[in-house]
């Protein structure tokens, strides 16, 4: 919380009392380092979406391959986040952060050099490994660097704003780079950004206390968690190409169900030593915030994936123009995410969560008017409301989950929230891509209905959480 101004110890009379509480100052440079990594990781979720025509012509990628270029990254990212959180708690978040930056930079270079679609997907998998090390460590280092609650809320707001800005900027940055320098340049961009983040980290972020490792890491649980997400993503990605009732799709879903059952069984047996301790979910704010994280990314990233296709394939926009068409969404994200941190610092996280989810519900519903010849101005309410909604809610949901978690499990807690988010991204891109496989506009409308319904249900959940909090 904010602290009062101190009174001088010298002089003939004491200084008058401060007129109001002063906000705890933010130390900028640790936040700069963490935001650089966050920007790079989240940018790569969306930066490739406008590169799909170039990938199709340059590498001969088909529809399923293109979805895996997007989803392969987020699937491995989500599947290994729990490993990243657990390793950070045991071996040090700063060490994991620096290692993750190195892995991500190397994998990005491999993406840029990929000679074929399969090689690109494999390199995107490797990027997901680096991202899974980076993001839990980032949030844990953020919490440790800003112990004051109000300062931490503002820092999380900025950190979340960078993430939302990166997500919305991805199509813009990707469009400009693809048209100017080719699709490989979107991956080369990560190398200098990672180098800058390493340099600032080494000078301005110290190590964080870690808990002692008293048991072996839960490798069976980790493997089953990854298998669950891979099976689910495979089934959803392939359904649009080979049909929902095909043997590969049903096999993927069967693997996901069996692996999920095994994951829960292992977690129950290992208790607090599991890769995902199920006891955390007995805390209602924790479990509800994690569920909201799934909904946020499922709607936002899933629809963003479709919108880049809609503007390019239906409206005939170039890659750059398609990115610029999404600019109002990005602009709203830049403003609303820091606003979330400021509101949360005064009122707690639940008010900005409710407001953000309500805006998102309206925004997604507005996409029902989108058609082949809809005037662009008629799409602005959808772009603006979606741009306000998710960035306003995301930092607040992050704060609510971190406050509900035990202090010695910060890495695992941040990993849980990011697993929920990236699982939402994986499912959203795969599901919405499948819905739009036959007819893009009809699929966009179906996806908008799904997203609006989920956001409406999450709004009710946030209202109930606010009453409890």
């Amino acid at each position: 919380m904010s602290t009062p101004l101190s009174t001088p110890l010298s002089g003939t009379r004491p200084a008058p009392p401060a007129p109001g509480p002063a906000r705890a100052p933010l130390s900028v440079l640790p936040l700069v380092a963490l935001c650089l990594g966050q920007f790079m990781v989240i940018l790569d979720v969306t930066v490739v979406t406008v590169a799909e025509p170039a990938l199709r012509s340059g590498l001969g990628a088909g529809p399923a391959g293109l979805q895996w270029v997007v989803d392969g990254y987020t699937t491995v990212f989500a599947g290994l986040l729990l490993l990243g959180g657990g390793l950070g708690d045991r071996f040090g978040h700063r060490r994991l952060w620096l290692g993750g930056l190195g892995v991500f930079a190397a994998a990005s270079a491999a993406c840029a050099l990929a000679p074929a679609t399969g090689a690109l997907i494999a390199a995107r998998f490797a990027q997901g490994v680096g991202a899974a090390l980076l993001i839990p460590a980032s949030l844990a280092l953020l919490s440790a660097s800003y112990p004051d609650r109000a300062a931490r809320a503002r820092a999380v707001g900025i950190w979340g704003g960078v993430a939302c800005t990166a997500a919305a900027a991805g199509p813009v940055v990707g469009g400009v780079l693809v048209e100017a320098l080719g699709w490989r340049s979107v991956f080369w961009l990560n190398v200098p950004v990672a180098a800058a983040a390493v340099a600032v980290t080494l000078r301005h972020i110290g190590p964080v206390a870690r808990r002692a490792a008293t048991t072996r890491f839960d490798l069976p649980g980790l493997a089953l968690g990854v298998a669950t997400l891979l099976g689910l993503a495979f089934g959803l990605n392939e359904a649009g190409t080979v049909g929902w009732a095909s043997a590969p799709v049903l096999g993927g879903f069967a693997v996901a169900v069996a692996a999920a059952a095994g994951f829960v069984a292992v977690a129950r047996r290992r208790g607090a030593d599991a890769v995902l301790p199920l006891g955390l979910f007995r805390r209602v704010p924790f479990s509800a915030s994690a569920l909201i994280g799934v909904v946020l990314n499922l709607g936002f990233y899933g629809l963003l994936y479709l919108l880049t296709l809609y503007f390019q394939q239906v409206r005939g926009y170039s890659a750059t123009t398609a990115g610029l068409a999404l600019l109002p969404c990005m602009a709203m994200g830049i403003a609303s995410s820091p606003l979330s941190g400021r509101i949360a610092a005064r009122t707690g996280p639940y008010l900005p969560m409710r407001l953000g989810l309500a805006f998102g519900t309206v925004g997604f519903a507005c996409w029902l008017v989108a058609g082949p010849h809809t005037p662009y101005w008629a799409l602005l309410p959808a772009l603006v409301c979606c741009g306000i909604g998710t960035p306003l809610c995301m930092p607040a949901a992050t704060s609510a989950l971190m406050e509900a978690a035990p202090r010695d499990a910060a890495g695992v807690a941040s990993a849980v929230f990011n697993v929920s988010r990236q699982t939402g991204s994986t499912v959203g891109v795969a599901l919405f891509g499948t819905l739009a496989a036959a007819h893009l506009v009809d699929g966009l409308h179906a996806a908008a209905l799904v997203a609006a319904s989920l956001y409406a249900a999450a709004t009710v959940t946030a209202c109930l959480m606010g009453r409890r909090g």
Side-chain angles (χ1 to χ4, degrees):
M1 290 184 286
S2 57
T3 56
L5 296 173
S6 58
T7 302
L9 298 179
S10 60
T12 57
R13 54 182 183 174
R23 297 195 307 175
L26 285 179
S27 179
V28 174
L29 289 174
L31 188 58
V32 168
L34 298 174
C35 286
L36 281 172
Q38 169 87 327
F39 183 87
M40 179 177 65
V41 167
I42 303 303
L43 183 77
D44 270 51
V45 177
T46 60
V47 73
V48 297
T49 55
V50 294
E52 289 200 357
L55 291 171
R56 189 181 298 113
S57 60
L59 297 180
L66 291 172
Q67 279 187 233
W68 272 112
V69 170
V70 178
D71 248 4
Y73 173 62
T74 56
T75 300
V76 175
F77 186 3
L80 296 182
L81 272 167
L82 291 171
L83 173 64
L87 290 177
D89 282 338
R90 291 180 176 223
F91 302 114
H93 298 294
R94 183 175 183 266
R95 185 177 301 171
L96 264 291
W97 169 256
L98 291 170
L101 288 170
V103 171
F104 198 91
S108 297
C111 288
L113 297 170
T117 305
L120 177 58
I121 292 172
R124 289 283 281 172
F125 277 25
Q127 275 191 309
V129 174
L133 299 178
L134 282 170
I135 292 301
S138 175
L139 194 49
L141 290 172
L142 188 73
S143 296
S145 299
Y146 303 99
D148 177 84
R149 186 177 185 271
R152 184 171 62 249
R154 297 199 303 276
V156 168
I158 295 171
W159 183 84
V162 167
C164 294
T165 301
V172 180
V173 173
V176 171
L177 289 175
V178 167
E179 291 198 358
L181 301 172
W183 67 265
R184 298 179 190 274
S185 62
V186 303
F187 298 110
W188 284 124
L189 176 66
N190 294 327
V191 177
V193 174
V198 168
V200 180
T201 298
L202 290 174
R203 288 183 60 86
H204 299 287
I205 298 180
V208 179
R210 59 182 185 269
R211 63 181 182 180
T214 57
T215 60
R216 290 183 300 173
F217 199 77
D218 182 14
L219 291 178
L222 174 66
L224 288 165
V226 174
T228 299
L229 292 173
L230 284 173
L232 180 62
F234 178 85
L236 291 171
N237 276 333
E238 297 296 322
T241 302
V242 298
W244 287 90
S246 65
V249 171
L250 294 177
F253 291 150
V255 168
V257 171
F263 180 85
V264 172
V266 170
R268 285 178 173 171
R269 186 172 68 250
R270 291 183 64 96
D273 296 321
V275 67
L276 176 55
L278 298 181
L280 288 173
F281 292 95
R282 297 191 186 100
R283 301 165 181 252
V284 173
F286 184 95
S287 56
S289 298
L291 182 61
I292 287 173
V294 174
V295 171
L296 288 172
N297 274 32
L298 189 153
F300 186 78
Y301 288 104
L303 207 67
L304 186 63
Y305 172 75
L306 288 191
L307 291 178
T308 57
L309 300 179
Y310 165 73
F311 282 124
Q312 289 182 279
Q313 296 181 15
V314 177
R315 307 299 293 266
Y317 293 178
S318 67
T320 300
T321 306
L324 292 174
L326 296 167
L327 200 57
C329 184
M330 181 183 72
M332 293 299 102
I334 292 172
S336 62
S337 192
L339 178 63
S340 174
R342 289 196 291 272
I343 296 173
R346 291 188 174 95
T347 69
Y350 300 113
L351 177 59
M353 287 173 70
R354 292 195 296 267
L355 291 174
L357 289 165
F359 269 107
T361 301
V362 174
F364 288 121
C366 287
W367 284 110
L368 293 173
V369 307
H373 306 292
T374 306
Y376 179 75
W377 61 262
L379 303 177
L380 286 175
L383 288 165
V384 169
C385 288
C386 288
I388 293 173
T390 302
L392 188 62
C393 181
M394 187 71 74
T398 305
S399 296
L401 182 137
M402 294 301 290
E403 289 180 7
R407 187 171 294 274
D408 65 349
V412 171
S414 65
V416 167
F417 188 66
N418 284 286
V419 165
S420 69
R421 290 174 55 199
Q422 298 312 319
T423 298
S425 298
T426 297
V427 173
V429 170
L431 176 61
F432 290 0
T434 298
L435 291 175
H439 192 277
L440 187 51
V441 173
D442 289 345
L444 176 60
H445 292 166
L449 279 174
V450 171
S453 300
L454 290 173
Y455 266 60
T459 304
V460 175
T461 301
C463 289
L464 296 175
M465 288 170 65
R467 290 176 184 176
R468 292 178 64 95

